[in-house]
mmCIF file of all heavy atoms in Angstrom:
data_model
loop_
_atom_site.group_PDB
_atom_site.id
_atom_site.type_symbol
_atom_site.label_atom_id
_atom_site.label_comp_id
_atom_site.label_asym_id
_atom_site.label_seq_id
_atom_site.Cartn_x
_atom_site.Cartn_y
_atom_site.Cartn_z
ATOM 1 N N ALA V 108 3.844 42.790 48.037
ATOM 2 C CA ALA V 108 4.642 42.380 49.313
ATOM 3 C C ALA V 108 5.678 43.272 49.546
ATOM 4 O O ALA V 108 6.360 43.521 50.695
ATOM 5 C CB ALA V 108 5.258 40.947 48.995
ATOM 6 N N ALA V 131 0.206 73.506 44.412
ATOM 7 C CA ALA V 131 1.269 73.001 45.186
ATOM 8 C C ALA V 131 0.621 72.479 46.465
ATOM 9 O O ALA V 131 1.121 71.453 46.929
ATOM 10 C CB ALA V 131 2.196 74.135 45.448
ATOM 11 N N SER V 185 -0.337 33.224 49.740
ATOM 12 C CA SER V 185 -0.347 32.272 48.630
ATOM 13 C C SER V 185 -0.587 30.894 49.260
ATOM 14 O O SER V 185 -0.507 30.723 50.552
ATOM 15 C CB SER V 185 0.979 32.174 47.797
ATOM 16 O OG SER V 185 2.019 31.622 48.698
ATOM 17 N N ILE V 306 -77.271 90.961 114.315
ATOM 18 C CA ILE V 306 -75.815 91.039 113.585
ATOM 19 C C ILE V 306 -74.847 89.983 114.251
ATOM 20 O O ILE V 306 -74.235 89.244 113.647
ATOM 21 C CB ILE V 306 -75.308 92.497 113.836
ATOM 22 C CG1 ILE V 306 -76.089 93.434 112.910
ATOM 23 C CG2 ILE V 306 -73.904 92.410 113.364
ATOM 24 C CD1 ILE V 306 -75.836 94.842 113.165
ATOM 25 N N GLU V 340 -93.635 86.581 113.636
ATOM 26 C CA GLU V 340 -92.444 87.141 114.218
ATOM 27 C C GLU V 340 -92.045 88.496 113.651
ATOM 28 O O GLU V 340 -91.505 89.283 114.314
ATOM 29 C CB GLU V 340 -91.222 86.170 113.997
ATOM 30 C CG GLU V 340 -91.210 85.049 115.050
ATOM 31 C CD GLU V 340 -89.817 84.465 115.130
ATOM 32 O OE1 GLU V 340 -88.815 85.034 114.883
ATOM 33 O OE2 GLU V 340 -89.880 83.128 115.465
ATOM 34 N N LEU V 377 -85.594 85.997 104.185
ATOM 35 C CA LEU V 377 -86.075 86.536 102.850
ATOM 36 C C LEU V 377 -87.211 87.472 103.089
ATOM 37 O O LEU V 377 -87.280 88.512 102.424
ATOM 38 C CB LEU V 377 -86.551 85.315 102.071
ATOM 39 C CG LEU V 377 -85.502 84.299 101.707
ATOM 40 C CD1 LEU V 377 -86.074 83.383 100.674
ATOM 41 C CD2 LEU V 377 -84.302 85.027 100.867
ATOM 42 N N GLU V 400 -90.322 67.380 89.881
ATOM 43 C CA GLU V 400 -88.932 67.388 90.224
ATOM 44 C C GLU V 400 -88.696 67.152 91.717
ATOM 45 O O GLU V 400 -87.524 67.196 92.235
ATOM 46 C CB GLU V 400 -88.293 68.788 89.871
ATOM 47 C CG GLU V 400 -88.176 68.961 88.384
ATOM 48 C CD GLU V 400 -87.692 70.356 88.086
ATOM 49 O OE1 GLU V 400 -87.041 70.991 88.731
ATOM 50 O OE2 GLU V 400 -88.232 70.831 86.939
#
Side-chain angles (χ1 to χ4, degrees):
Chain V
S185 71
I306 293 168
E340 279 196 29
L377 296 182
E400 287 176 32

